């Protein structure tokens, strides 16, 4: 029996729920889409008149919100009301790694998923399709289904309630999420009910070619998401390990990556050496895979995937150690300019950012950090570092006595001011603006002997060296030298 979807409710207004529902609303004008969340401040930002205040920065998102919001796309804290009217409910809530209890440090904490399922069980009406959108461990659908089916049988009959559970994992890269949603490599729908699968299939068919919409059983769909992230993270750790070897031998990791990336069996994607992977998914999903492997009696598999995370941590610590050693073995009371704090360009997401760990290491060594990022503000950095800025102004000027700022940080909105009297500049996020800096101007304001550390391979080395600055580039053994 064909199921017609007229009303969609998405629980969770974060990095997945907000953009995904915006794109669905844009391509399906006849469907009313509501994004709900308990976080009133986040919902208020989604409803802000100034579209520059949206809680998430993604290229192209602002234009879609402008087209659809208030027409067939709504953001609200009225969760129960929108669940009640929904034919389809997406669960897109946070699934952080557990901090305590069984599986602490590896297993996903599903408390928000469970809470959402209970709300759907209580407030839904009629036939409701429940879609897992959050990244979840295998067999989570069983938990959701059990909660939904635990509804009082008399109440279910009286209210004519029935449920179908689907898995529809997201395969989005932050910074290109809108493009990934509009032109996906594939759409994966896992489930047991053919009618429910086809109801979601028909929504995506409004803009996604038929052959790119794949149907699987629900367990394969859940595992596919974890596996995709694990494989991508593994490539990053692999190329970073080779990058370290290149630095030691005089090779250039970019040339190595180009050579192996030309092999069609390998491909060129995710072969950029850098400070390591970050974001909300890779580390969390790999640790979840480690937990699942151990749970099902596969310790060798668990050890393999855990090594991917271990190498990533080692690589981040390696960079901060290298900076300290290069600056004569100490950064105490030295001013270091940090360019980039988000975990990658074109996003304001700082979760598990490599910059966070590297900054913490340098602060522990006594450095005074001036941090700049075009999309991450002072308040978010303060939350991540758990440390207030020493100077509250967001347009900080260099003070004459850096010793009073040992182990502290400030924020600057202006790149060139951030570089003033700095002992070193560390590029940690591949924002395009950092590749276009005028190094002659920068060099004149820095304290000699000054260094530029390029962890993203985006800086023009010839221009830096011409400006008579010392230069280091990740994975480049031929250029680890002074001017």
């Amino acid at each position: 029996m064909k199921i017609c979807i007229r009303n969609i409710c998405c629980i969770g207004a974060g990095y997945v729920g907000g953009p995904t529902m915006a794109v669905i609303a844009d391509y399906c004008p006849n469907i009313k889409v509501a994004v709900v969340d308990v976080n009133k401040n986040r919902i208020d930002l989604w409803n802000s008149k100034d579209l520059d205040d949206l809680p998430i920065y993604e290229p192209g998102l602002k234009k879609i919100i402008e087209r659809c919001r208030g027409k067939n796309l709504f953001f609200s804290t009225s969760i129960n009301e929108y669940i009640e009217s929904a034919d389809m409910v997406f669960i897109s809530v946070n699934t952080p790694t557990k901090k305590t209890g069984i599986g602490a440090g590896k297993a996903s904490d599903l408390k928000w998923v469970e809470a959402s399922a209970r709300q759907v069980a209580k407030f839904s009406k009629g036939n409701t399709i429940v879609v897992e959108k959050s990244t979840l461990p295998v067999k989570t659908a069983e938990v959701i289904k059990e909660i939904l089916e635990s509804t009082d049988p008399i109440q279910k009959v009286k209210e004519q309630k029935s449920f179908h559970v689907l898995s529809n994992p997201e395969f989005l890269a932050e910074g290109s999420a809108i493009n990934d949603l509009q032109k996906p490599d594939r759409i994966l729908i896992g489930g047991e009910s053919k009618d429910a699968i086809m109801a979601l299939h028909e929504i995506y068919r409004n803009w996604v070619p038929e052959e790119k919409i794949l149907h699987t059983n629900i367990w394969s769909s859940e595992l596919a998401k974890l596996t995709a992230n694990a494989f991508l993270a593994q490539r990053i750790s692999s190329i970073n390990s080779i990058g370290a070897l290149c630095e030691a031998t005089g090779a250039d990791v970019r040339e190595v990556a180009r050579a192996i990336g030309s092999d069609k069996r390998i491909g060129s994607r995710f072969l950029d050496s850098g400070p390591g992977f970050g974001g909300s998914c890779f580390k969390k999903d790999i640790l979840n895979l480690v937990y699942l492997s151990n749970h099902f009696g596969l310790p060798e598999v668990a050890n393999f995937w855990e090594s991917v995370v271990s190498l990533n941590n080692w690589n981040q610590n390696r960079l901060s150690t290298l900076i300290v050693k290069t600056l004569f073995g100490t950064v105490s009371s030295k001013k270091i300019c940090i360019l980039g704090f988000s975990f990658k360009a074109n996003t304001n997401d700082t979760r598990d950012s490599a910059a966070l760990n590297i900054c913490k290491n340098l602060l522990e060594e006594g450095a005074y950090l001036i941090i700049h990022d075009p999309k991450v503000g002072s308040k978010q950095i303060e939350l991540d570092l758990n440390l207030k800025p020493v100077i509250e102004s967001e347009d900080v000027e260099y003070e004459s006595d850096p010793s009073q700022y040992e182990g502290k940080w400030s924020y600057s909105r202006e790149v060139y001011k951030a570089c003033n009297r700095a002992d070193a500049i560390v590029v940690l996020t591949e924002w395009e603006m950092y590749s276009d800096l005028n190094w002659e101007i920068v060099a004149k304001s820095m304290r000699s002997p000054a260094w530029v550390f390029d962890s993203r391979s985006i800086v023009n080395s010839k221009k830096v060296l011409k400006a008579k600055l010392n230069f280091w580039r990740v994975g480049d053994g031929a250029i680890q030298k002074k001017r």
Side-chain angles (χ1 to χ4, degrees):
M1 180 182 70
K2 184 176 181 180
I3 302 173
C4 184
I5 304 299
R6 295 186 177 86
N7 293 284
I8 289 176
C9 172
C10 176
I11 305 175
Y15 282 87
V16 174
T20 302
M21 293 303 113
V23 170
I24 288 177
D26 199 28
Y27 283 99
C28 305
N30 295 324
I31 297 178
K32 180 180 177 181
V33 180
V35 184
V36 297
D37 202 294
V38 294
N39 188 326
K40 185 178 184 301
N41 180 60
R42 180 181 291 171
I43 292 298
D44 287 344
L45 290 173
W46 278 114
N47 287 321
S48 174
K49 291 182 180 179
D50 186 348
L51 293 176
D52 288 329
D53 290 337
L54 294 177
I56 293 168
Y57 173 75
E58 280 289 339
L61 176 60
K62 186 164 66 173
K63 290 183 178 180
I64 296 177
I65 297 298
E66 188 174 22
R67 284 197 297 267
C68 300
R69 193 177 63 185
K71 297 174 183 176
N72 71 320
L73 176 63
F74 304 90
F75 297 91
S76 175
T77 56
S78 301
I79 301 175
N80 300 340
E81 175 186 332
Y82 281 105
I83 288 175
E84 185 175 339
S85 62
D87 307 302
M88 180 176 285
V89 178
F90 286 81
I91 296 179
S92 187
V93 294
N94 192 21
T95 54
T97 302
K98 290 181 69 175
K99 295 182 178 179
T100 59
I102 298 172
K106 292 184 175 68
S108 292
D109 188 342
L110 301 179
K111 64 181 179 182
W112 300 116
V113 174
E114 181 179 337
S116 298
R118 292 187 184 281
Q119 282 181 291
V120 175
K122 183 176 181 180
F123 294 103
S124 63
K125 302 290 184 182
N127 180 46
T128 305
I129 299 173
V130 180
V131 184
E132 297 177 334
K133 200 65 182 173
S134 302
T135 301
L136 301 168
V138 182
K139 299 292 184 179
T140 301
E142 285 186 350
V143 176
I144 295 175
K145 189 174 182 180
E146 188 172 341
I147 292 172
L148 296 174
E149 294 299 331
S150 66
T151 305
D152 184 348
I154 297 176
Q155 182 186 358
K156 283 180 68 176
V157 172
K158 183 178 180 181
E159 298 180 2
Q160 297 183 319
K161 287 189 179 186
S162 63
F163 302 99
H164 297 296
V165 179
L166 300 178
S167 171
N168 176 221
E170 51 84 16
F171 296 100
L172 308 179
E174 288 186 40
S176 61
I178 299 302
N179 184 67
D180 294 339
L181 286 162
Q182 293 173 332
K183 301 175 183 178
D185 292 332
R186 75 292 199 195
I187 296 294
L188 193 57
I189 305 174
E192 297 173 344
S193 165
K194 185 175 181 180
D195 290 337
I197 289 173
M198 288 308 300
L200 185 53
H201 179 111
E202 288 301 313
I203 291 173
Y204 284 116
R205 206 164 66 89
N206 283 283
W207 75 95
V208 180
E210 190 93 36
E211 65 274 12
K212 289 190 175 184
I213 306 176
L214 311 179
H215 300 176
T216 70
N217 70 48
I218 201 162
W219 321 126
S220 296
S221 178
E222 288 179 332
L223 187 56
K225 171 59 179 177
L226 293 180
T227 305
N229 281 347
F231 271 55
L232 294 174
Q234 183 214 12
R235 283 175 71 94
I236 295 172
S237 283
S238 295
I239 198 63
N240 283 337
S241 71
I242 300 303
L245 188 59
C246 286
E247 292 168 23
T249 60
D252 186 338
V253 73
R254 296 176 303 166
E255 294 177 352
V256 174
R258 187 169 73 246
I260 66 173
S262 299
D263 189 327
K264 62 183 179 182
R265 298 169 300 173
I266 298 174
S268 60
R269 300 291 299 276
F270 280 76
L271 288 179
D272 294 322
S273 186
F277 56 77
S280 64
C281 291
F282 281 5
K283 182 178 179 180
K284 176 174 71 73
D285 290 353
I286 293 177
L287 292 176
N288 198 349
L289 202 57
V290 170
Y291 175 75
L292 286 171
S293 299
N294 279 321
H295 176 77
F296 288 105
L298 300 168
E300 293 81 7
V301 175
N303 292 339
F304 171 79
W305 288 112
E306 193 160 20
S307 70
V308 174
V309 176
S310 296
L311 196 139
N312 192 61
N313 295 336
W314 168 82
N315 188 56
Q316 292 174 7
N317 292 329
R318 180 181 80 89
L319 289 179
S320 50
T321 299
L322 184 146
I323 293 167
V324 173
K325 286 183 177 180
T326 303
L327 298 180
F328 309 115
T330 180
V331 292
S332 179
S333 300
K334 291 178 181 175
K335 180 185 175 185
I336 299 179
C337 174
I338 302 295
L339 297 185
F341 199 81
S342 59
F343 87 92
K344 63 183 292 189
N346 292 320
T347 179
N348 59 349
D349 194 354
T350 62
R351 289 175 292 178
D352 269 325
S353 172
L356 173 59
N357 290 332
I358 292 169
C359 285
K360 283 184 175 180
N361 289 342
L362 294 174
L363 288 169
E364 287 179 3
E365 291 285 341
Y368 172 42
L369 305 183
I370 301 293
I371 302 174
H372 174 275
D373 189 288
K375 292 298 177 181
V376 181
S378 178
K379 293 297 182 184
Q380 183 60 52
I381 296 173
E382 179 182 333
L383 287 172
D384 290 332
L385 292 177
N386 194 26
L387 183 67
K388 287 184 176 295
V390 66
I391 300 174
E392 293 296 334
S393 169
E394 292 193 336
D395 197 14
V396 65
E397 295 275 6
Y398 179 77
E399 297 295 328
S400 58
D401 182 13
S403 63
Q404 63 181 308
Y405 302 120
E406 184 174 320
K408 297 178 181 179
W409 71 279
S410 298
Y411 180 84
S412 178
R413 288 187 179 276
E414 217 285 314
V415 176
Y416 290 100
K417 285 185 179 180
C419 299
N420 187 34
R421 293 292 305 279
D423 294 277
I425 294 171
V426 185
V427 180
L428 292 178
T429 309
E430 68 278 24
W431 289 103
E432 185 177 352
M433 66 182 300
Y434 299 148
S435 65
D436 296 330
L437 293 178
N438 186 321
W439 292 104
E440 295 287 347
I441 293 176
V442 171
K444 290 176 182 177
S445 70
M446 295 183 74
R447 190 170 75 156
S448 186
W451 277 85
V452 175
F453 297 91
D454 180 12
S455 76
R456 294 289 188 173
S457 295
I458 63 169
V459 173
N460 186 316
S461 60
K462 292 181 179 179
K463 291 183 178 180
V464 175
L465 294 170
K466 184 180 178 182
K468 296 184 178 180
L469 292 168
N470 298 318
F471 185 66
W472 174 93
R473 179 166 57 206
V474 66
D476 192 344
I479 205 168
Q480 317 304 332
K481 60 183 180 181
K482 295 186 179 181
R483 60 182 184 274

